[in-house]
Amino acid sequence: MKKKVFKVIPGLLLSTALVFAGCSSGNNESGSSESGSDSSSGAAKPATLKVMMFGDKPADMDKILAEYESRSKAELNTKLEIEFNPSADHKQKLGLKMAAGEEVDLAFDAGFLSLNQNISNGFYQELDKYFNNDEYPGLKKAFPPELVKANQTNGKLYVIPLTQYYYDVDCIFIRKDLREKYGLEPIQSYDDLKVYLDKVQENDSSLIPMALRGERGFYKLFENEIKQTGFRVSLGGAGAPFSLVLSEDGTKVLNAVTFGDPQSLYDSFPAPFNQQFYFEQPYDKYVEFSKYLEKDVLVQKDPQSLFVSGKAAINEGTLSGFSSIQEKLKSGVPGAELEVFIYNSKVREMQPEAIGVTYKANNNMVIPVTSKNADRTMKFLDWVYSSQDNHDLFELGIEGEHWEKDGDAGFKPLDGLKNYNFPSYQLTLNSLMSRVNTNNDANVLEYLNYSAQANTYYKIPLAGFSFNSEPVKTEVAKLSSKYLEYYPLMKNGLDPDWRESMTKLNKELSALGLEKVRTELVKQAQEYLDNGGE
């Protein structure tokens, strides 16, 4: 029986906390003559918007753009010039263009790239006036006030937030056919996973047991599953991943700690946070499981390709990628089958309030201050979100060629979709409009349904807080550079003496301004709480 996946309504979930991290404001004028009208005809003058995304350009992208231009010409008369950067280069290319003042009308950015820093540097325009505005009905419908408010920085919106669920469930993709070949039951624990990996090593020496991307290693595997109520882990934007511990009543920031800090900084924390390396517990597991990785894992940039081509037995990812990876795997390895292991046990058991979130989108589009076409760009986005058909065109392609409807909220891929694997999280992902691929197996659909429920989530402390690195930007840049010298080695479990290495790293960070950054971070977080933030 087909399981129905319900869509989540952002207004039911979103936090109303404001963000008090400071930032510079951008120019919100569209100023270009391209944005005007042709006085003789009343139609908009032709314009071309420069867009920056990352990943591979879909084979049928030009076909989709031609269809978009045909449908929207009378209303918009706007073309798109999309630059698809390699994923490893996008952050740097975006930063260089911003620093050089090069004109870009729409770009992808995120917290895991350079979003907070670029907002602090004043690179992005304020966008509040375009939302909850009757002149932009598509945006008003698709981005309710609660969603807009949760994604503000210092009370202002600099992003177009893209999200279907408030968290894309982390998982491991497993070759079901191999697991059955070894006579194993479905994997339900890390112990089961280890047995599977051992069987791969014993039986298939040509296979890489576990394919990971070198720059992020084991990512969130083996994470502590304790509910975040009195602390906030791995806060970004400070050059090193600080964790903040709060007082029991949540009103005071006791301190911020990072890799290799001495025990003395932990002594004043309540148990269990009063243990040095408490927040780094997974690193021993990284070391234990590193024997399953390829020798050159540090330079691996595309582990998914290894997996779908049959060269690896496991790949780490998120649940939304299941249908795409399943299709690629079956195409690359005839007879192969895919299944998932949800490695957080609370999520695996679909417990309520199992996932802590900020209610901020992980992915965003931004309009740089170098753009002279802000109004024109937002009119384009309003067109995308003004109807399900417009949205479906960009997200899924041409109906009847790339996909077909399956119920009100679902779709089934057709053969043509192989040529249009569009990165929806960079333009169209939306909880009210994005369809669910009903070709997912029943187990995956059940987890997607779980992801869509309001009571799956809880708000973590300091949910609306973003660190403004501007007062310590020189120190943050130095810390980041030094931190990245150590991080990949430890995150891939290739340093069994990681405690000693973290201690050494901490001393080097201290010489580069660690304490100045820590003091500023604690100060800003405390000011955020004092001003009513949660």
Side-chain angles (χ1 to χ4, degrees), residues 171-175 179 182 184-201 209-212 218 221-222 285 288-289 291-293 313-316 339-344 348:
C171 65
I172 292 174
F173 296 110
I174 294 169
R175 287 276 300 277
R179 192 256 303 160
Y182 305 142
L184 302 176
E185 294 296 315
I187 295 171
Q188 296 295 329
S189 68
Y190 281 120
D191 288 340
D192 293 345
L193 182 67
K194 192 172 187 304
V195 172
Y196 170 78
L197 291 167
D198 286 337
K199 288 290 186 181
V200 172
Q201 283 192 325
M210 197 169 194
L212 299 180
F218 285 97
L221 274 75
F222 310 109
K285 281 293 185 181
E288 180 185 348
F289 275 67
K291 66 181 182 179
Y292 302 120
L293 308 183
I314 273 181
N315 183 211
E316 169 268 331
E339 63 185 4
V340 297
F341 165 58
I342 309 296
Y343 46 78
N344 182 301
R348 188 165 63 246

Side-chain angles (χ1 to χ4, degrees), residues 431-446:
S431 61
L432 295 176
M433 303 189 78
S434 292
R435 295 179 180 273
V436 174
N437 186 340
T438 55
N439 269 11
N440 283 299
D441 71 20
N443 188 46
V444 171
L445 287 173
E446 192 172 359

Side-chain angles (χ1 to χ4, degrees), residues 95-297:
L96 290 173
K97 289 192 177 189
M98 296 301 94
E102 186 173 339
E103 186 169 351
V104 177
D105 296 304
L106 190 63
F108 176 84
D109 204 351
F112 59 84
L113 291 176
S114 52
L115 180 67
N116 295 332
Q117 180 180 347
N118 287 344
I119 290 176
S120 296
N121 289 337
F123 288 158
Y124 299 147
Q125 300 194 31
E126 296 173 20
L127 304 176
D128 297 82
K129 72 175 186 178
Y130 299 105
F131 293 89
N132 197 30
N133 182 342
D134 290 335
E135 292 184 17
Y136 298 84
L139 299 179
K140 184 176 181 179
K141 175 187 66 176
F143 298 88
E146 296 87 350
L147 179 62
V148 171
K149 193 170 186 178
N151 283 277
Q152 289 177 327
T153 299
N154 196 28
K156 296 178 181 179
L157 186 71
Y158 296 89
V159 302
I160 299 100
L162 306 173
T163 182
Q164 184 172 11
Y165 308 113
Y166 289 118
Y167 193 82
D168 195 356
V169 172
D170 302 300
C171 65
I172 292 174
F173 296 110
I174 294 169
R175 287 276 300 277
K176 178 182 178 181
D177 55 303
L178 291 180
R179 192 256 303 160
E180 292 178 339
K181 171 185 171 183
Y182 305 142
L184 302 176
E185 294 296 315
I187 295 171
Q188 296 295 329
S189 68
Y190 281 120
D191 288 340
D192 293 345
L193 182 67
K194 192 172 187 304
V195 172
Y196 170 78
L197 291 167
D198 286 337
K199 288 290 186 181
V200 172
Q201 283 192 325
E202 293 169 10
N203 292 279
D204 292 283
S205 59
S206 63
L207 275 179
I208 299 166
M210 197 169 194
L212 299 180
R213 193 164 82 229
E215 65 183 2
R216 78 181 205 169
F218 285 97
Y219 191 47
K220 295 186 178 181
L221 274 75
F222 310 109
E223 273 195 345
N224 193 320
E225 296 180 8
I226 186 174
K227 190 172 184 178
Q228 288 191 57
T229 53
F231 65 100
R232 171 78 181 274
V233 296
S234 300
L235 194 74
F242 283 92
S243 296
L244 286 81
V245 178
L246 308 179
S247 60
E248 187 174 346
D249 62 4
T251 63
K252 182 174 177 55
V253 180
L254 300 181
N255 210 338
V257 290
T258 190
F259 285 180
D261 275 334
Q263 176 63 47
S264 58
L265 287 184
Y266 292 82
D267 286 341
S268 62
F269 293 163
F273 313 122
N274 57 350
Q275 309 165 45
Q276 187 184 25
F277 301 115
Y278 174 81
F279 296 108
E280 290 78 45
Q281 293 178 61
Y283 284 79
D284 282 327
K285 281 293 185 181
Y286 299 162
V287 173
E288 180 185 348
F289 275 67
S290 64
K291 66 181 182 179
Y292 302 120
L293 308 183
E294 61 182 312
K295 284 186 177 181
D296 297 328
V297 64

